Amino acid sequence: LPLPAPRRIKALAQDVVNKIAAGEIIVAPENALKELIENAVDAGSTSLEVVIKEGGLKLLQITDNGHGIDKEDLAILCERFTTSKLKAFEDLSSIGTYGFRGEALASISHIAHLSVTTRTKESSCAWRAQYSDGKFVSPKPGQNAEPKPIAGRGGTQITVEDLFYNVPSRRRAFRSASEEYAKILDMVARYAVHCAGVSFSCKKHGASTADISVPTAAGTLDRIRQIHKATVANELVTLNAENERWGFKCEGWISNANYSAKRTTLLLFINHRSVESSVIKKAIEQTYATFLPKGGRPFVYLSLDIEPARVDVNVHPTKREVHFLNEDEIIAIICDEIRNSLSKVDTSRSFMTQS
Ligand code: ADP
Ligand code: MG
């Protein structure tokens, strides 16, 4: 057979490139929500309200009381790689805030209708702007696309509507709104446990009661009690571990040997970012295996602070996969501490039943 003639190579249109890039960062409504929560926390908010319609596919709205956004910055807010958090490549190794490369809002604006209402302390009013493909768009054809002054409180409200409206294949992939809502609740719950000093609420649009609600003043154990109920909270003990050589510090709440569930609940934060780690999960399950009945699984909330220079957060756009130096050594120290703690509880129990 004759070889086929080579096809000519052409650059993809910019809007196609942007859509593809956006789809890598925002795979489901929960990814968009995570970015928005992190932005709100970065802005110093002490209150965070989430409202959801159709599992976040129709509406995803988050209202915070943080420092707001300067009116002058609104024009570039949703452009790719615009950020207030990173200036030089070297900053990546000392980054203290959640977001760091200015991709989240840009991505969302390429695959949803995005509007922002924001007010800083210095501003005499709030400003509202709508975005599409990174740029201002007018709310209705023929209207002005510039930000509009409106009345509003200090802070920022981000409204994301019709997620994936222009990515039909992705849109079709969602089986049920309630499944997506469950994932959203799980994500809000994680940050609601972790972010001390911040109130959280999450509800469906039009619902009179919130599905998650924690007040600003609640301590970590109270937050767990509100969200995961007393059956979990009553069986928790604190965990602390640190090691200078490996440059880490770890705090958390872990279930004792009286608690046993069908599945592991692992709330894992590394440098205040919710992450998943199958390596850490497996190590924890193995540690608990000798203390729990067969098939029993623990509840573990861990907040791990690792020297930023030892963490590579730049591995994947979703920033979910975090890798750090000396993972094995750090995990071993944490699991030793868990083992200590579990055997302590064991002895006190047998002591109590003996006396
Ligand atoms: P990044 O968080 O990586 O900087 P984003 O696209 O998530 O990128 O946000 C871009 C910028 O918009 C942020 O750097 C921040 O200055 C501003 N911003 C976004 N959300 C908020 C918010 N809720 N409150 C205040 N500023 C915000
Ligand atoms: Mg961000």
Side-chain angles (χ1 to χ4, degrees):
L1 274 168
L3 286 170
R7 301 224 187 139
R8 298 304 307 272
I9 300 173
K10 280 189 231 141
L12 288 169
Q14 194 55 47
D15 66 308
V16 177
V17 173
N18 288 334
K19 253 202 247 175
I20 293 172
E24 266 168 36
I25 296 175
I26 313 295
V27 180
E30 61 162 340
N31 305 119
L33 182 72
K34 181 176 194 254
E35 296 292 335
L36 300 178
I37 293 176
E38 292 184 347
N39 282 346
V41 174
D42 281 347
S45 309
T46 57
S47 160
L48 227 148
E49 291 167 24
V50 179
V51 176
I52 300 293
K53 228 191 246 180
E54 289 178 27
L57 290 161
K58 190 76 207 144
L59 172 78
L60 221 158
Q61 184 173 68
I62 170 163
T63 309
D64 70 47
N65 66 348
H67 57 50
I69 302 163
D70 268 347
K71 192 216 165 204
E72 278 64 42
D73 285 341
L74 286 175
I76 58 161
L77 177 69
C78 292
E79 276 177 28
R80 260 187 107 188
F81 309 125
T82 58
T83 177
S84 58
K85 301 167 194 171
L86 175 74
K87 289 192 183 76
F89 185 75
E90 291 69 42
D91 295 349
L92 266 181
S93 61
S94 61
I95 197 80
T97 52
Y98 290 110
F100 58 85
R101 52 189 179 196
E103 282 184 276
L105 291 179
S107 300
I108 294 169
S109 84
H110 284 286
I111 50 174
H113 301 299
L114 177 70
S115 57
V116 176
T117 304
T118 188
R119 179 173 173 176
T120 59
K121 258 205 332 276
E122 294 70 32
S123 177
S124 57
C125 65
W127 293 92
R128 187 181 155 79
Q130 268 175 253
Y131 297 86
S132 182
D133 299 332
K135 307 239 156 12
F136 289 143
V137 285
S138 56
K140 292 204 181 98
Q143 282 183 357
N144 191 338
E146 290 296 302
K148 269 208 265 316
I150 59 164
R153 293 179 298 166
T156 303
Q157 179 175 72
I158 308 263
T159 305
V160 178
E161 286 168 289
D162 304 313
L163 192 58
F164 305 121
Y165 75 97
N166 54 359
V167 195
S169 56
R170 180 61 59 80
R171 180 89 207 203
R172 276 195 301 272
F174 295 103
R175 279 179 297 163
S176 83
S178 55
E179 224 169 87
E180 297 312 308
Y181 188 60
K183 290 198 268 172
I184 282 173
L185 283 180
D186 181 77
M187 187 61 77
V188 175
R190 284 170 191 268
Y191 280 90
V193 166
H194 179 72
C195 297
V198 185
S199 71
F200 280 80
S201 77
C202 181
K203 64 175 194 174
K204 287 185 180 161
H205 182 80
S208 51
T209 55
D211 295 308
I212 289 175
S213 168
V214 291
T216 314
T220 306
L221 188 57
D222 271 339
R223 288 165 182 265
I224 297 174
R225 192 183 311 274
Q226 303 249 359
I227 294 167
H228 297 275
K229 306 301 168 221
T231 46
V232 177
N234 290 347
E235 306 294 347
L236 299 182
V237 293
T238 54
L239 181 97
N240 287 287
E242 72 182 286
N243 185 292
E244 241 170 70
R245 178 161 176 212
W246 309 125
F248 87 98
K249 215 175 149 174
C250 175
E251 285 180 3
W253 288 90
I254 63 166
S255 56
N256 63 31
N258 290 329
Y259 177 88
S260 173
K262 278 208 193 82
R263 292 157 113 237
T264 301
T265 304
L266 174 59
L267 314 180
L268 177 63
F269 283 78
I270 295 181
N271 294 353
H272 304 285
R273 186 174 292 147
S274 169
V275 294
E276 264 153 47
S277 163
S278 45
V279 185
I280 294 182
K281 189 174 172 198
K282 210 163 146 204
I284 289 173
E285 286 176 346
Q286 275 170 3
T287 307
Y288 268 91
T290 51
F291 294 91
L292 299 185
K294 197 168 187 308
R297 298 279 188 270
F299 175 99
V300 172
Y301 158 61
L302 288 182
S303 173
L304 202 54
D305 279 324
I306 302 173
E307 282 168 13
R310 294 170 162 269
V311 185
D312 186 2
V313 286
N314 199 18
V315 287
H316 190 265
T318 63
K319 292 174 258 166
R320 190 162 277 242
E321 276 287 305
V322 172
H323 291 289
F324 47 90
L325 293 177
N326 308 108
E327 273 190 29
D328 293 346
E329 288 87 350
I330 291 177
I331 293 171
I333 291 172
I334 292 171
C335 288
D336 276 348
E337 206 46 53
I338 293 178
R339 210 169 289 119
N340 279 342
S341 167
L342 291 174
S343 28
K344 255 188 250 156
V345 173
D346 253 14
T347 31
S348 69
R349 293 234 157 233
S350 52
F351 179 74
M352 269 160 56
T353 45
Q354 276 162 23
S355 56

